Every structure is written in structure tokens, then in C-alpha cells.
Amino acid sequence: MSFRLTLSAALAVSLGAMAPLYAADGDPPAKAKAVEAAQSKAVNPFLAPSPLPYQFPQFDKIRNEHYRPAFEQGMAEGRREIEAIANNPEPASFDNTIVALERSEQLLGRVSRVFFAQAGTNTNDEMQKIQTELAPKLSAHNDQTVLNGKLFARVKAVYDARDTLGLDAESKRLVERYHTDFVRAGAKLSDADKTKLKAMNAELASLSTRFSQNLLKETNASAIVVDKREQLKGLADDAIAAAGEAAKKRELEGKFVIPLMNTSGQPALASLEDRTLRQRIMQASLNRSSHGGEFDNRAIIASVVKLRAERAALLGYANHAAYVLEDETAGSIDAVNKLLGQLAPPAVANAQAEAADIQKVIDKDGGKFKVEAADWAYYTEKVRKEKFDLDAEQLRPYFEMNNVIENGVFFAAHKLYGLSFKERKDLPVYLPDIRVFEVFEENGNPLALFIVDYYARSNKRGGAWANAYVAQSGLFGTKPVIANQLNIPKPPDGEPTLMTYDEVNTAFHEFGHALHGMFSNVKYPFFAGTSVPRDFVEYPSQVNEMWMTWPEILGNYAKHYKTGEPLPQALLDKVKASEKFNQGFATTEYLGAALLDQAWHQITAKQAPDADGVLAFEAAALKKAGVDFAPVPPRYRTTYFSHIMGGYSAGYYAYIWSEVLDADSVEWFKAHGGLTRENGDHFRKTLLSRGGSEDAMVLFKNFSGGEPYVQPLLERRGLTATKK
């Protein structure tokens, strides 16, 4: 486990980095420590590699009380390992410095990957306390490594000699990336500035943790309580039943609870006929963590953006965005601003045209109001029905979850890559709903383990994501253990889980990340799986979305959960006809968030507002960017924009940046015969298997044969012409 991957786990907490638990006078006496380690090893499942297949985590043995001692011992061992590398009397070499760093901090890596994954998907009060304690300590621990002058001198010595060492391409790139990461982390700063940087990193880590915990609590507290079933008119029966179950869990017998998702828009808004209830839901969503009280995030945001700007200046950058983008494929603020600036005017113009269509329906229905954010989804469905004779609810009976996973997502991977899947019920899971599949190559060789965690929970953060519990590495001989997380409302016991069209798309998307991790074929853990630039990591997963509606795949899984009848061709034709429908809204709400992210991170510390000015700054930024269209609020407002508290700060543009590559690649697949093993093997060999071992854009060119072309994206989103 390299320190880089330890840091990656900590990035779930902060951009900062990690802190010693023991006082400055050193570790506990060696004898006492040895006794403690021997006693702990017998009961703490983290202190040795898991004996389960693939080093699968021992979820049946892991308890809250195991985390602290494992982190303590992991950091203590890590400090000793790093000091041994830094003080090695032998001249610096690739093996005794760079490879030694890759081999360091194994224990810390094991506990970090499990803890931060569980903190996102299955947290509890004790874990949140631990997370709060750990954030500054882990930050300081990482700083001890990257700001260690002796260690950096050795890294630099290897870096300076890299062309004379006879290294293979991956090893040479590893040297270069270590040197870059150390420099960007502040290794060249003066001792006084390093002290300042450590304090900033520790505070940022703590603030980020507080933000995420506030948001989880606020989202749960903001769930909408509905007194009478008739107020839920328009919702599907299974959604009403789920709302009733949610109320029972809160001891609100006879009532109904509509929980909030992490985005501004909420699923129920598309169906609810009661406008007052729709407005309550939208207002609660938009106001999260911004209206006072213990879960308010405005002060945290103000502190974070100021500290990030100060840190960027200390490191020699104009602002935090300049710091982040230098190491992405975009390369500069100008490149990102140019792309977002090109997309915003036609997106908003299309959204305004869509609003006009909605207003016509409102007026036709006798509504005496102008369309608002709370109305958009509901009336969009009416417009969809009018234009395409399509009701999105008609699709859900054909998207039963198990069918989607096994006969859709997995089937596509089988056709494209030759993979097969076998459920493993012998491995321990952290909740009964979790499923584990072993993944095999076409020749029967084992490839990976895949964990499916699709249901929403009150102790699970919003959104969807993928994570690695074990990363592939030739150095250690490990095979990947990858998880996908979604947030699908769980139906009452005995009822089928029927997914929306968007949820099915998300399942294919997240499995694209999983494939990126499973197919990883690199030597060094530094480069494993999705260890690529942030504005490249979404690209392979977006490509995988294309197979959701590929006829051969769709025909294999889109079957009515009761009758087994396939999705009618007429209904499918309507879906295809409506693909560009509402893209003005979708692009505008995304761009609103992406532009907000850049606005917050392209300022200096002096320009950062205080807590009371956060919402005014947000409003001014949206107006300046030309995306302040009230019926289409940003996908995330500042106070619940979790992405920018972690690895996506100044990087939320990555989705649209990656989509340029994605749209171009979809055209490549179509031009080369579509769903074929030859195409899948080419994508795997040239790109998916390489992780971060080569420059990201070189990988893209190796796959596609040329530079990315933006026109397919514009056509996909209907932005080639401004609607009048």
C-alpha cells in the first residue's frame, strides 16, 4: 500500500492529508507496543491481511472498536517505515526509495479503504466521531511524509537520474509522478511555510468532515412528513408504500415520509399532483444546510474556500482552481472556462424554450402561476406525454433491479469482454441486502470480486459511486475487490425493486467505474484502476452507459416483472425519440453547479465572503455566468455540494469534459461494429487496463486513433443550435 493510496482514502475526508497520534516525544516503549500488537492481532481483523479470497474484508468481524487501534498502529508503523526510507544510509535508488514507498503503510491502507467506504455507505454515530478525530490526524500524518526534507531529497535524486536507470515506462512514470506529487504537496517550501501548510491541511480536513456529517444529518432531518395518503396522488403505489415504511421507521405510524436525495431536484416531484407539497419538497431541498441551526454549512464553506485560496497562494498558484487544474487533462483555468462558457448560452436558451413549452401546458390546465423549480419535473412529464406520448412511469415495470444487474449490466460485460459472474453467498457482508459476485475471464480465470450495494439508507450518503476495497497490483499480486453504490428507495418486503430509467443508466455508469478497476493490469498500486486525472475518470464509465439501450442488451433485461414480456418496440421508439428532450434543463442544472464550483475556487482569499455572504456570492456567480434561471436551479447548491468538499473541488467540470471523450468514443464503437468482443478487447487493452500508468490523453488516442472531437457531444445534448 503506497502512501499515495492511503492519501486517496483520506481524500474522502479532505484534499489535505494525514497526523501523528502519539506525542512528540515518540512512540510507546517497544516492549509494551509488542505486547499490545500481539494481543490486538488476535482480535483486530485489520492487523493482518484478510485470509478471505481476494483479501475480501472480514465484515462479519469488523467492529467500531477496531478502527481506532488499527489507525493508530497503522500510522505508527507508517512513520517508522517512512523514517527508515528517508534515513537509509545507502544512496537513493528506485528500489530503496520509490518502490519502498509503494510497499509502505499496508496496515494503514487496509483500514483506510474499509473505514472510509463504510463511513459513506453504512455510518453510525461512533464512526462519525472517529472520522472527526481522524481527519486532522491523517492530514498531519500525510504531511509528515510529503514534507519530509530527507525523503524528498531521495525522491528528487532518483527523479534527476531517471533517464539513466534503465527503467521500464511504468517505473519511470512512477518516479515522475512521485516527484510531482511531492512538489505539489509543498516539499520545496521553507520550514516556516511547511508549518503553515500543515495547519491549513489539518483544518481543511476537519472542516470537510463537519460539512459531510452536517449534510447527512440535515438531509435526514429535512425529510418531508405527509399526513394523508391523498396528498400523494400521482405517486406510484410502490413509492407510496415506501413512504409509509419510512414513516414507520421514524415512529410516525399512519403518516408518510418522503426522504430527500442529494441533488436539488427530487424524484417525487415528477409525479406529485399536489403543488403545495411539491413546493414544500423543493424548498426543503434547496435550503439544506443554509437556514441556520446546528447543521448550517455556510460558515464551513466560507472557511474552506478562504483556506484553499491561501494554501494555493502559499504553493505559488493564483488560486485553488489553478492549482487543481494544472494536474488535470484540462491543464488550465482558461481551457475549463472556455468549454463551460461555450455550453452555457445554448443550454440556457434551450431551457428557456423548454420552460415556454411547460408554461403552455400549465396555462392549458388552467394554472394561474408561472413555472417554478417545483413544477419543472411534473410538467415536463406532461410535455413528454404530449410530444412523445411517453410516460416515464410506463418504463419502471420493465426495469426490475435483479434483471437489470444480471441480464443487463452483467450481460453487456459478457458480450463485450467475455466476463461471467457467479454470486458468492459464502463471503460476509455488512448488511443483508448486499450482494457479492465473483467475476471470471472467458477462459475461466478469476478476475475480481464485485460488491453490489444499491439501496438508499438514512446512514448512507447520497448519490452513486464506486470504490475499491482491494486494488489490483502486480507488485503485491492482489486482485481487485470493487463496490458499486446507488441510492434506490427500498420497497416494502416482498415487493419488487423497480428502477427508473435514470437509475438504470446510473447502474451502467457505475459499473463502468467497476470495470476500470477490475481490468486494471499495472504493477504499482499508485496507478491502479481509476487512479487517473479527475477529468478523465468519468470517461470510461460514461462510455459504458451506451450499452443500456443497445438493442441486444436492452432486449435481454427490459422485461415486465410480472409477465416477462419485453419492453414494447413502440415504447422503446418513444424513448429514443425523446433522447434530446429536456436536455436544456439537464445541461443547465449541471453547468450551474460546475460554474459555481469554478467561481468558488477561482477567487483569492481576500475575495472570499464570510458566512453571511455565501448565498449572495452564489447568486452573483450564477448571474455572471448567465445561468441564473430560477426554474432550473443548480444541480447542487453550495451548502450541499458534497463533490467540492472532496476530490472534485475545482473539478466538477470533469463530467462534461469527460463526456466530450465519451461521445466521441460512442461514435467510434458504432463505426467499428458496436457490441463486439474485438471492440471490447481493444478498449480494455488500450485504456481500461492501463489505469494511470500512461498519460490519460495518450491512452485516449491509443484507443480512438485521434484527438477528441466535440461535435458528437453537442449533437447528443441538442446544443448545435439555439432554440428560438
Side-chain angles (χ1 to χ4, degrees):
M1 176 64 181
S2 70
F3 88 91
R4 167 65 178 260
L5 284 185
T6 302
L7 175 58
S8 295
L11 286 178
V13 178
S14 163
L15 264 185
M18 301 185 207
L21 279 145
Y22 297 111
D25 58 354
D27 292 340
K31 183 177 180 180
K33 184 163 58 180
V35 172
E36 179 185 350
Q39 292 173 338
S40 298
K41 198 163 188 175
V43 294
N44 192 318
F46 291 116
L47 301 189
S50 169
L52 297 175
Y54 298 79
Q55 297 185 23
F56 190 84
Q58 300 178 79
F59 290 118
D60 56 335
K61 296 181 179 179
I62 295 170
R63 303 288 182 268
N64 286 342
E65 58 265 26
H66 295 140
Y67 290 119
R68 279 191 184 90
F71 272 111
E72 289 174 4
Q73 187 168 328
M75 284 188 274
E77 288 180 5
R79 287 195 300 277
R80 291 193 294 272
E81 291 165 346
I82 297 303
E83 285 302 313
I85 298 169
N87 295 311
N88 189 334
E90 298 293 326
S93 71
F94 176 71
D95 286 331
N96 71 20
T97 301
I98 305 301
V99 175
L101 283 169
E102 283 292 274
R103 292 185 179 279
S104 67
E105 303 196 322
Q106 292 294 302
L107 169 56
L108 187 55
R110 281 195 300 273
V111 66
S112 294
R113 285 190 296 266
V114 174
F115 177 79
F116 288 111
Q118 290 293 292
T121 193
N122 190 38
T123 193
N124 54 57
D125 291 343
E126 180 60 22
M127 288 187 71
Q128 290 186 348
K129 290 178 184 177
I130 296 171
Q131 192 175 4
T132 299
E133 294 170 14
L134 280 175
K137 293 175 180 177
L138 289 173
S139 173
H141 177 81
N142 186 74
D143 282 344
Q144 273 198 325
T145 299
V146 295
L147 301 180
N148 183 316
K150 291 182 179 179
L151 181 61
F152 177 61
R154 294 181 68 85
V155 171
K156 186 175 185 302
V158 179
Y159 172 78
D160 289 342
R162 66 193 183 281
D163 291 329
T164 66
L165 300 178
L167 300 175
D168 60 59
E170 184 179 341
S171 297
K172 183 179 178 182
R173 179 168 171 81
L174 183 68
V175 173
E176 293 169 345
R177 287 305 312 172
Y178 261 96
H179 183 264
T180 296
D181 279 9
F182 269 77
V183 171
R184 284 174 52 78
K188 290 186 175 181
L189 294 177
S190 68
D191 288 344
D193 283 345
K194 285 180 180 178
T195 299
K196 292 179 184 176
L197 182 63
K198 290 176 184 178
M200 290 177 182
N201 286 340
E203 187 172 356
L204 281 166
S206 295
L207 288 168
S208 177
T209 300
R210 283 175 50 201
F211 180 98
S212 62
Q213 292 183 0
N214 279 354
L215 179 55
L216 179 62
K217 293 172 183 175
E218 172 81 347
T219 299
N220 285 329
S222 299
I224 305 300
V225 179
V226 179
D227 294 328
K228 299 179 180 179
R229 183 186 175 97
E230 50 263 35
Q231 292 175 273
L232 300 177
K233 187 177 180 182
L235 275 189
D237 289 341
D238 61 337
I240 294 174
E245 289 291 319
K248 287 180 183 178
K249 290 179 181 178
R250 294 177 181 237
E251 298 182 351
L252 296 171
E253 197 72 33
K255 297 183 185 293
F256 302 87
V257 168
I258 300 175
L260 297 183
M261 301 291 108
N262 64 323
T263 52
S264 294
Q266 300 297 319
L269 295 176
S271 304
L272 287 169
E273 297 181 13
D274 188 325
R275 186 171 190 246
T276 300
L277 180 54
R278 293 201 307 269
Q279 289 174 320
R280 280 179 60 201
I281 294 170
M282 179 56 78
Q283 194 71 10
S285 180
L286 294 176
N287 286 346
R288 275 175 291 167
S289 296
S290 67
H291 54 87
E294 59 180 321
F295 306 138
D296 196 300
N297 276 333
R298 287 175 295 177
I300 293 176
I301 285 288
S303 297
V304 165
V305 295
K306 183 177 181 182
L307 276 168
R308 284 176 176 166
E310 290 173 345
R311 182 174 63 181
L314 187 66
L315 292 168
Y317 296 85
N319 50 54
H320 181 69
Y323 169 76
V324 169
L325 297 176
E326 176 193 61
D327 206 37
E328 303 295 329
T329 64
S332 70
I333 286 176
D334 288 344
V336 172
N337 287 348
K338 180 180 178 181
L339 175 66
L340 299 182
Q342 286 176 331
L343 295 175
V348 174
N350 285 8
Q352 290 170 336
E354 291 163 3
D357 288 340
I358 289 173
Q359 191 63 52
K360 290 176 183 176
V361 174
I362 292 173
D363 295 343
K364 182 180 177 181
D365 287 353
K368 304 293 184 181
F369 56 86
K370 294 293 183 182
V371 59
E372 296 177 357
D375 305 311
W376 192 284
Y378 179 73
Y379 282 97
T380 289
E381 289 309 309
K382 286 181 172 287
V383 175
R384 193 194 309 270
K385 290 176 188 177
E386 187 174 288
K387 283 193 170 186
F388 306 102
D389 190 27
L390 175 63
D391 180 353
E393 281 296 312
Q394 291 176 283
L395 298 171
R396 291 180 71 239
Y398 297 93
F399 296 149
E400 190 274 324
M401 187 172 74
N402 292 330
N403 229 11
V404 169
I405 297 171
E406 298 183 35
N407 297 318
V409 174
F410 291 173
F411 182 68
H414 171 70
K415 298 296 291 186
L416 197 60
Y417 305 110
L419 301 184
S420 59
F421 301 80
K422 179 181 178 182
E423 188 158 11
R424 293 286 301 262
K425 297 189 177 182
D426 58 318
L427 295 173
V429 291
Y430 49 91
L431 288 170
D433 295 330
I434 312 306
R435 302 177 71 186
V436 182
F437 295 87
E438 189 166 14
V439 187
F440 296 91
E441 301 275 20
E442 187 173 38
N443 62 9
N445 289 339
L447 176 68
L449 287 176
F450 177 58
I451 300 172
V452 178
D453 182 353
Y454 275 7
Y455 286 122
R457 294 183 290 276
S458 61
N459 66 340
K460 184 179 186 181
R461 71 178 174 89
W465 66 97
N467 62 279
Y469 282 99
V470 179
Q472 178 273 331
S473 167
L475 186 66
F476 294 113
T478 52
K479 294 182 182 296
V481 177
I482 311 293
N484 272 182
Q485 317 281 346
L486 271 64
N487 265 285
I488 299 171
K490 187 177 180 180
D493 290 344
E495 294 295 318
T497 302
L498 304 181
M499 301 171 68
T500 66
Y501 187 88
D502 286 345
E503 287 167 346
V504 176
N505 188 74
T506 300
F508 276 83
H509 175 100
E510 295 304 330
F511 193 70
H513 286 307
L515 289 171
H516 205 174
M518 292 177 191
F519 285 152
S520 179
N521 185 23
V522 299
K523 181 175 182 180
Y524 303 109
F526 192 105
F527 295 134
T530 56
S531 298
V532 297
R534 184 65 68 182
D535 57 4
F536 192 79
V537 74
E538 296 299 334
Y539 154 58
S541 55
Q542 289 170 334
V543 170
N544 203 59
E545 295 173 19
M546 72 177 288
W547 309 116
M548 171 189 169
T549 55
W550 197 262
E552 186 177 354
I553 305 302
L554 188 73
N556 198 60
Y557 77 88
K559 298 179 180 180
H560 198 284
Y561 77 100
K562 286 184 178 179
T563 67
E565 291 295 315
L567 183 71
Q569 185 62 44
L571 188 54
L572 178 59
D573 291 342
K574 293 174 185 178
V575 172
K576 289 183 176 180
S578 68
E579 282 180 348
K580 295 180 183 179
F581 176 71
N582 208 40
Q583 280 299 309
F585 169 88
T587 309
T588 299
E589 71 153 4
Y590 166 76
L591 290 175
L595 288 160
L596 264 184
D597 173 30
Q598 291 302 314
W600 280 116
H601 293 119
Q602 291 184 20
I603 59 175
T604 65
K606 289 183 179 179
Q607 295 170 319
D610 59 16
D612 291 336
V614 164
L615 298 185
F617 180 94
E618 175 183 279
L622 294 172
K623 184 174 182 179
K624 181 179 179 181
V627 290
D628 57 332
F629 184 41
V632 186
R635 184 169 177 80
Y636 302 98
R637 293 192 68 194
T638 302
T639 54
Y640 51 89
F641 202 167
S642 294
H643 291 72
I644 63 172
M645 283 296 108
Y648 279 87
S649 64
Y652 192 65
Y653 78 93
Y655 289 91
I656 201 82
W657 188 273
S658 294
E659 196 178 346
V660 173
L661 308 181
D662 157 39
D664 194 22
S665 298
V666 167
E667 294 306 307
W668 183 96
F669 271 102
K670 291 178 179 177
H672 288 78
L675 187 73
T676 69
R677 280 299 310 283
E678 183 179 5
N679 287 343
D681 289 345
H682 177 65
F683 194 40
R684 175 178 180 174
K685 179 181 178 181
T686 58
L687 197 145
L688 292 179
S689 65
R690 303 310 306 140
S693 64
E694 293 182 67
D695 178 82
M697 292 310 296
V698 170
L699 293 178
F700 174 79
K701 293 172 189 175
N702 289 345
F703 162 67
S704 68
E707 298 284 345
Y709 183 48
V710 73
Q711 193 63 25
L713 169 66
L714 299 177
E715 293 176 357
R716 172 190 290 184
R717 288 183 170 257
L719 301 180
T720 52
T722 299
K723 293 183 179 180
K724 299 295 183 182

